[in-house]
């Protein structure tokens, strides 16, 4: 039993092979391009994240300074009011 392949069949097989190789090349190229685009976007997002993180760090630093100044003012105010809040030497209760 001998298998014979006609030119038409051979042409279809070659065309199919060329089509498969072409499709594989297109998919590979597209995947590389997509990978490069994703990497570029990731680099951009990292830069934005660093910028936002630096901005938050600056705001926290300023907030820390403000809290520190407020803390100093509260202690100064408490020190100034302490003599007024102390009970008189003979007065031990406020109920009278």
């Amino acid at each position: 039993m001998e298998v014979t392949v006609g030119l038409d069949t051979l042409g279809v097989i070659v065309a199919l092979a060329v089509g498969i190789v072409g499709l594989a090349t297109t998919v590979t190229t597209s995947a590389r391009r997509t990978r490069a685009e994703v990497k570029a976007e990731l680099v951009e997002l990292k830069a934005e994240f660093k910028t936002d993180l630096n901005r938050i760090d600056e705001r926290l630093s300023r907030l820390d300074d403000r809290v520190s100044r407020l803390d100093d003012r509260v202690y100064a105010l408490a020190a100034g009011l302490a003599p007024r809040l102390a009970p008189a030497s003979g007065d031990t209760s406020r109920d009278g």
Side-chain angles (χ1 to χ4, degrees):
M1 183 190 285
E2 195 175 312
V3 178
T4 58
V5 178
L7 277 179
D8 291 340
T9 307
L10 197 56
V12 169
I13 291 172
V14 169
L16 247 145
V18 168
I20 290 171
V21 169
L23 181 63
T25 303
T26 302
V27 168
T28 303
T29 304
S30 176
R32 280 191 199 127
R33 189 177 323 120
T34 302
R35 198 174 303 135
E37 289 170 358
V38 167
K39 282 183 180 180
E41 189 173 335
L42 188 60
V43 167
E44 183 180 327
L45 287 173
K46 281 182 179 180
E48 286 179 26
F49 180 74
K50 278 186 172 183
T51 301
D52 290 345
L53 194 59
N54 286 336
R55 191 177 314 137
I56 289 171
D57 188 43
E58 289 172 13
R59 287 181 179 175
L60 280 175
S61 179
R62 283 184 283 176
L63 183 61
D64 186 44
D65 291 344
R66 291 173 68 188
V67 167
S68 179
R69 286 194 306 263
L70 183 60
D71 194 39
D72 292 344
R73 292 167 92 187
V74 167
Y75 277 118
L77 182 61
L81 290 178
R84 295 182 188 165
L85 296 176
S89 59
D91 189 17
T92 56
S93 71
R94 297 183 111 195
D95 295 334

